[in-house]
Amino acid sequence: MSTKLNREEVLSSIQANVQDKNMLRHMLATEAIMRALAKKLGEDGDEWGLTGLLHDIDVELVEGDLNNHGKLGADIARELGASKEMAHAILCHNEVLGIPRETKLDKALFCAEPLSGLITAAALTRPNKLSGLTTKSLMKRFHEKGFAAEVNREQVLSCQELGLELEEFIILGLKAMKSIASELGL
């Protein structure tokens, strides 16, 4: 399935709705991981990547209200031309809404989002940021419950629903984020 979305239009909308530079970087990181997942799983890279890019477009607009986060984002995504599958993934990435994850796209966004946070947190502890970060170090950090405590490990582990083992997923995510390190400021 192809998407009618244009990445430049999506970025313009994000820049109009998201002021926090760290949130923007998180969205770009999630996009990179989603594109890598799509390639690995034989899915549409643009559709998956743009879903990752758009997933938190409403976070500032709903002012942190998790009962609305994802609802407005899905509406904005649809207005921009997103498919119903993309909008559904954006809706169900917020567990608070209680919407079941049904498709590979839903499941991919759910596990990719927190992985981007774990990788970013680990990179920020290194003098040379992402370039010095290894899979071994990330695996160790994953198991340190006190490190990046806001990262939901169970959510990251849900990569297994896509047929990926944790280490394989971490390798994929790290490589994806390293490929856009300059955009992420890492």
Side-chain angles (χ1 to χ4, degrees):
M1 128 192 27
S2 67
T3 178
K4 296 180 273 184
L5 286 174
N6 172 297
R7 188 173 187 274
E8 294 310 311
E9 289 173 20
V10 168
L11 280 173
S12 292
S13 184
I14 288 169
Q15 289 164 348
N17 290 297
V18 179
Q19 304 309 308
D20 183 332
K21 297 294 181 214
N22 289 331
M23 178 57 66
L24 178 59
R25 289 181 187 121
H26 161 70
M27 294 163 75
L28 289 167
T30 304
E31 174 191 23
I33 294 170
M34 290 291 289
R35 285 183 184 280
L37 274 171
K39 184 175 182 183
K40 171 97 177 148
L41 300 173
E43 300 292 336
D44 184 317
D46 284 338
E47 179 182 45
W48 282 41
L50 292 172
T51 302
L53 185 59
L54 277 166
H55 80 281
D56 277 343
I57 193 168
D58 68 354
V59 86
E60 291 177 15
L61 298 171
V62 299
E63 299 175 347
D65 176 2
L66 288 181
N67 292 313
N68 285 310
H69 173 49
K71 291 178 184 176
L72 182 57
D75 288 343
I76 293 169
R78 276 190 289 270
E79 287 171 14
L80 289 168
S83 67
K84 65 180 183 181
E85 293 83 5
M86 294 170 75
H88 188 267
I90 291 167
L91 274 171
C92 68
H93 94 277
N94 177 6
E95 276 189 303
V96 172
L97 298 178
I99 298 168
R101 289 175 299 284
E102 300 162 351
T103 66
K104 283 200 270 185
L105 179 58
D106 295 346
K107 293 170 185 178
L109 181 58
F110 187 71
C111 65
E113 180 188 27
L115 181 60
S116 71
L118 179 73
I119 294 171
T120 298
L124 291 172
T125 67
R126 308 292 247 194
N128 47 1
K129 309 281 189 263
L130 276 173
S131 67
L133 193 54
T134 64
T135 302
K136 181 180 176 184
S137 173
L138 271 171
M139 289 295 290
K140 181 179 173 195
R141 290 297 200 172
F142 179 85
H143 295 291
E144 290 175 26
K145 298 300 179 212
F147 178 78
E150 71 283 355
V151 172
N152 182 329
R153 268 58 173 181
E154 290 302 313
Q155 201 172 327
V156 175
L157 279 169
S158 72
C159 66
Q160 295 168 343
E161 293 178 31
L162 296 170
L164 299 173
E165 292 304 318
L166 177 63
E167 187 169 356
E168 182 182 17
F169 186 41
I170 284 177
I171 290 167
L172 179 144
L174 181 58
K175 184 177 178 184
M177 285 180 61
K178 281 183 174 183
S179 75
I180 62 162
S182 60
E183 284 181 74
L184 300 175
L186 298 173

